[in-house]
Amino acid sequence: MQNTLDKMSINEKSKVKKIDEKSQMRRRFLDIGLTDGTEVECVLVSYGGEMKAYNIKGAVIAIRKEDAKFIEIS
């Protein structure tokens, strides 16, 4: 079982291992600096839990749960 970004809890920090090639958002993730080895921290969770905000290189980025499941973390 792989650990993915959508499973992170608030204030948890981790590093990106890889972004699945099947993700339609892969190019956008790479454009915002979400590359292998990047440290991410989960800072907010939406009320319904369908979206989380992550601190990525000093910027807070909201990512939908359905897209975050394609990002493997360590």
Side-chain angles (χ1 to χ4, degrees):
M1 184 172 152
Q2 64 187 29
N3 201 13
T4 54
L5 199 65
D6 63 311
K7 297 174 185 164
M8 286 182 73
S9 302
I10 290 184
N11 297 323
E12 182 180 352
K13 292 182 182 181
S14 192
K15 289 193 177 188
V16 174
K17 273 177 126 174
K18 71 175 188 171
I19 300 173
D20 194 323
E21 299 286 335
K22 298 174 197 160
S23 172
Q24 295 179 347
M25 296 286 291
R26 187 175 196 281
R27 181 79 247 158
R28 289 188 184 195
F29 291 147
L30 294 173
D31 288 344
I32 63 171
L34 201 59
T35 57
D36 297 353
T38 301
E39 186 174 289
V40 294
E41 177 184 7
C42 182
V43 293
L44 294 169
V45 178
S46 69
Y47 180 70
E50 287 302 312
M51 188 173 284
K52 292 182 179 180
Y54 304 90
N55 184 341
I56 303 167
K57 295 185 176 181
V60 176
I61 307 291
I63 302 175
R64 293 179 297 203
K65 187 175 186 176
E66 64 190 58
D67 294 321
K69 68 182 178 184
F70 289 104
I71 302 170
E72 188 177 339
I73 57 175
S74 57

